[in-house]
Amino acid sequence: MAGPPSLSRHRPLPSGNEEATTTLTLGDMTDVPTLSVSECNELLHSLEKQAEKQGSRATASSDVYLKTREYVGMFARFKDGKTTTQVDHITLTLLEKGVGMFERAQLASLCPDTAEEAKTLVPSLEDKIDDETLQAVLDEISKLRDFS
């Protein structure tokens, strides 16, 4: 005797072998520029202003756009455009030290206080940057967080 039919949806297969652990595996997205949540917030603000100047509200009417806008507005650590730009410049220095775009964006979004916390949240940083250099960058970001 067969049981009742399953009510759960079939889980889709993963699109690739992407993972952000001690070994960062992003597939085709490895070298793609990545935005922090604050940078995304600034980008969406900019798009809204541009649409208003042109008299268009098409972008702001999409459900996905509205939900994204709400999310980044809530979780952006830096709300001021100048501060976001400063954080971007600070974290871009990490690229010269072997830190990837994804990791840079994660640090700018999560704003960890210590190098140890940063390496716990972004495990792929472990062998890429020493604690002193990372801590100096995090301290600079922290100073900006206090005034944003």
Side-chain angles (χ1 to χ4, degrees):
M1 187 158 130
S6 174
L7 299 177
S8 62
R9 290 184 281 163
H10 178 60
R11 177 183 237 171
L13 295 174
S15 62
N17 62 348
E18 295 89 5
E19 64 180 24
T21 59
T22 52
T23 305
L24 192 61
T25 309
L26 298 177
D28 295 340
M29 304 303 279
T30 298
D31 296 321
V32 175
T34 311
L35 296 176
S36 69
V37 175
S38 296
E39 290 171 316
C40 185
N41 189 38
E42 281 301 309
L43 177 66
L44 295 179
H45 271 301
S46 192
L47 287 173
E48 284 179 9
K49 287 180 184 178
Q50 185 179 17
E52 286 176 11
K53 286 181 183 177
Q54 296 174 349
S56 169
R57 299 294 295 173
T59 307
S61 63
S62 159
D63 282 344
V64 172
Y65 175 83
L66 293 173
K67 288 178 183 179
T68 303
R69 184 75 189 88
E70 181 182 350
Y71 177 89
V72 298
M74 186 180 310
F75 292 105
R77 297 280 187 154
F78 307 100
K79 310 284 186 192
D80 177 58
K82 290 180 184 177
T83 308
T84 301
T85 301
Q86 287 176 309
V87 171
D88 183 44
H89 287 300
I90 291 167
T91 57
L92 282 174
T93 63
L94 293 171
L95 297 177
E96 300 163 359
K97 304 193 183 321
V99 173
M101 293 293 286
F102 174 80
E103 295 154 325
R104 179 207 69 83
Q106 291 300 302
L107 291 173
S109 294
L110 299 170
C111 296
D113 291 320
T114 65
E116 181 182 355
E117 181 183 9
K119 289 181 178 182
T120 299
L121 293 171
V122 187
S124 58
L125 290 172
E126 191 64 44
D127 296 327
K128 291 186 177 180
I129 188 168
D130 63 274
D131 287 354
E132 295 78 27
T133 305
L134 181 55
Q135 188 61 54
V137 169
L138 297 175
D139 289 343
E140 285 186 59
I141 294 171
S142 182
K143 289 176 192 173
L144 294 172
R145 192 173 61 192
D146 293 340
F147 296 108
S148 134

